[in-house]
């Protein structure tokens, strides 16, 4: 079981990420980030190079959706992978190959992506993204000037 969330604060532009996995050695390899560029994940038979490639493509002006589409088109064994990517400005993107393990899903919002495999149910990524949106909204309300 692995599930993750990558997100950005629409006010500050800061990126964040979190992951939980039944295999800690795997979780340590899944998230990659580059300051000023974005954050990406490669999970489910993870290949950390794929997340770095996504960030490099994003750095050179490919939108997250375009980056994933290009990587999917040109990568061997991609159907075993689960990917997500988020940059500074554009809508995030995600991909789950047809051989992703067990119950798997992803949820994409304007500022976050949740993804997971071997899940208890397919609603886990949506719950993470919804919680991020709720917390971000509460923080914004608390930090607004009176």
């Amino acid at each position: 079981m692995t599930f993750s969330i990558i997100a950005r604060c629409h006010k500050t532009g800061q990126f964040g990420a979190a992951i939980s996995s039944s295999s800690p050695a795997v979780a340590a390899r899944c998230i990659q980030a580059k300051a000023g560029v974005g954050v990406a994940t490669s999970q489910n038979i993870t290949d950390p190079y794929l997340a770095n490639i996504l960030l490099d493509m994003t750095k050179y002006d490919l939108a997250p959706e375009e980056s994933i589409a290009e990587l999917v088109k040109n990568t061997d064994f991609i159907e075993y992978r689960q990917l997500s990517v988020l940059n500074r400005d554009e809508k995030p993107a995600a991909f789950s190959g047809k051989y992703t393990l067990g119950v798997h899903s992803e949820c994409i919002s304007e500022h976050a992506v949740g993804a997971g495999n071997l899940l208890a149910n397919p609603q886990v990524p949506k719950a993470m993204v919804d919680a991020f949106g709720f917390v971000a909204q509460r923080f914004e309300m608390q930090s607004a000037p009176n």
Side-chain angles (χ1 to χ4, degrees), residues 103-124:
V103 174
H104 62 276
S105 66
E106 65 271 335
C107 178
I108 302 170
S109 73
E110 186 178 356
H111 300 289
V113 178
N117 56 72
L118 291 173
L119 300 170
N121 68 66
Q123 296 304 312
V124 172

Side-chain angles (χ1 to χ4, degrees), residues 23-97:
S23 177
V26 168
R29 302 167 16 125
C30 293
I31 297 171
Q32 305 295 320
K34 289 190 180 177
V37 175
V39 62
T41 65
S42 167
Q43 58 195 48
N44 192 74
I45 309 177
T46 188
D47 179 347
Y49 295 110
L50 296 179
N52 281 317
I53 292 168
L54 285 171
L55 290 172
D56 285 344
M57 287 193 283
T58 300
K59 180 179 178 180
Y60 296 107
D61 295 328
L62 281 178
E65 259 184 33
E66 295 169 319
S67 297
I68 284 191
E70 194 64 30
L71 194 62
V72 166
K73 187 169 54 173
N74 294 301
T75 304
D76 292 334
F77 308 110
I78 198 67
E79 293 300 333
Y80 292 91
R81 316 288 188 195
Q82 199 170 35
L83 308 168
S84 62
V85 62
L86 168 81
N87 69 3
R88 292 179 307 228
D89 306 313
E90 296 161 308
K91 185 177 179 186
F95 168 80
S96 292

